[in-house]
């Protein structure tokens, strides 16, 4: 009985220990269950967040695709505009190059023409100087000839005045001679009883 009591006490002690262990395990199990529930709640919340993020990601991907397509279209339009601008700029550069070449050729032609004009002007200046010198010499000669002619004309006018005076004297003498001849013929006609014939006196050159 004593041994049985001791075994019973030992068994009871083991049972109590087991009960305590069970209670501890139950507490741990409850804690694990609570932790699992919390973890599950966190997992569900995370899953909901993941689903929300996936929906946002889908929306963002859709927006990104739309924006990407729009950006591609804009890039294509910009590239086309850039290509058109580049072609236009190249055409303008070619036109400017052509115009510059034409301008350079025109400048070269103008320089050549200017040199020719300058040469002609120099020749004309030399010829003009020679012509002016010749004309000056001719003018000087003509001035001398004019002065001599003026002197000759002066002498001629003086001689003409003298000749006019001599002519007037000769005319006066001729008139007196004609008057005397007329009077003489009248006297002779009176003596002869013959009508006297009146003649006109023509004076000769003085």
């Amino acid at each position: 009985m004593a041994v049985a009591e001791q075994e019973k006490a030992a068994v009871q002690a083991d049972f109590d220990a087991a009960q305590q262990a069970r209670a501890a395990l139950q507490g741990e199990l409850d804690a694990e269950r609570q932790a699992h529930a919390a973890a599950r709640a966190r997992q569900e919340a995370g899953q909901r967040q993941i689903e929300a993020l996936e929906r946002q990601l889908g929306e963002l991907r859709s927006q990104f695709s739309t924006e990407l397509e729009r950006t591609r279209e804009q890039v294509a339009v910009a590239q086309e505009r850039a290509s058109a601008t580049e072609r236009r700029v190249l055409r303008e550069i070619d036109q400017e190059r052509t115009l510059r070449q034409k301008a350079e050729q025109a400048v070269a032609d103008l320089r050549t023409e200017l040199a020719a004009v300058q040469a002609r002007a120099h020749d004309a200046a030399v010829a003009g100087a020679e012509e002016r010198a010749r004309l000056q010499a001719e003018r000087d000669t003509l001035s001398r000839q004019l002065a001599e002619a003026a002197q000759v004309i002066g002498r001629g006018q003086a001689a003409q005045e003298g000749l006019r005076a001599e002519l007037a004297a000769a005319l006066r003498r001729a008139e007196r001679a004609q008057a005397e001849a007329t009077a003489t013929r009248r006297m002779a006609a009176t003596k002869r009883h013959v009508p006297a014939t009146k003649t006109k006196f023509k004076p000769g050159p003085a």
Side-chain angles (χ1 to χ4, degrees):
M1 289 294 293
V3 172
E5 288 293 335
Q6 290 177 356
E7 290 180 355
K8 181 180 179 182
V11 170
Q12 186 65 40
D14 292 336
F15 180 76
D16 292 337
Q19 287 292 332
Q20 291 177 359
R22 181 183 177 184
L25 289 174
Q26 185 66 38
E28 291 179 359
L29 181 60
D30 293 337
E32 288 294 333
R33 285 178 178 175
Q34 292 177 358
H36 179 71
R40 187 173 181 82
R42 289 194 298 271
Q43 183 181 3
E44 291 177 355
Q47 185 67 31
R48 289 192 297 272
Q49 291 180 355
I50 290 172
E51 291 175 357
L53 290 174
E54 286 179 351
R55 288 193 299 272
Q56 292 179 359
L57 181 60
E59 293 176 357
L60 290 175
R61 284 178 178 175
S62 178
Q63 293 178 0
F64 178 75
S65 299
T66 304
E67 292 293 332
L68 180 61
E69 185 65 24
R70 186 180 302 169
T71 303
R72 286 177 179 174
E73 292 177 357
Q74 292 177 355
V75 169
V77 173
Q79 288 179 349
E80 181 62 26
R81 289 178 180 176
S83 299
T85 302
E86 183 179 1
R87 291 191 296 270
R88 180 175 58 80
V89 170
L90 290 175
R91 287 196 301 270
E92 291 178 356
I93 290 174
D94 292 336
Q95 292 176 358
E96 290 179 358
R97 185 182 296 112
T98 303
L99 291 175
R100 185 173 64 252
Q101 291 176 354
K102 290 182 179 179
E104 290 175 354
Q105 183 63 37
V107 169
D109 295 339
L110 288 175
R111 286 176 178 174
T112 303
E113 186 177 357
L114 178 61
V117 170
Q118 288 177 348
R120 290 196 299 270
H122 181 268
D123 296 338
V126 173
E130 295 176 353
E131 183 67 17
R132 285 194 298 273
R134 185 182 64 80
L135 292 175
Q136 184 67 31
E138 290 182 357
R139 188 179 67 179
D140 295 339
T141 302
L142 290 175
S143 297
R144 290 193 300 270
Q145 292 178 356
L146 181 61
E148 294 174 355
Q151 293 177 359
V152 171
I153 290 172
R155 290 193 297 269
Q157 288 179 350
Q160 186 178 6
E161 292 295 332
L163 290 175
R164 286 178 179 175
E166 292 180 359
L167 180 59
L171 288 174
R172 286 193 297 272
R173 289 195 298 271
E175 290 175 355
R176 287 196 299 270
Q178 185 178 4
E180 292 176 355
T182 301
T184 302
R185 283 196 298 272
R186 286 178 179 175
M187 290 175 64
T190 302
K191 292 178 179 180
R192 295 176 182 177
H193 301 285
V194 178
T197 303
K198 183 177 180 182
T199 62
K200 186 177 179 181
F201 176 76
K202 294 182 180 181

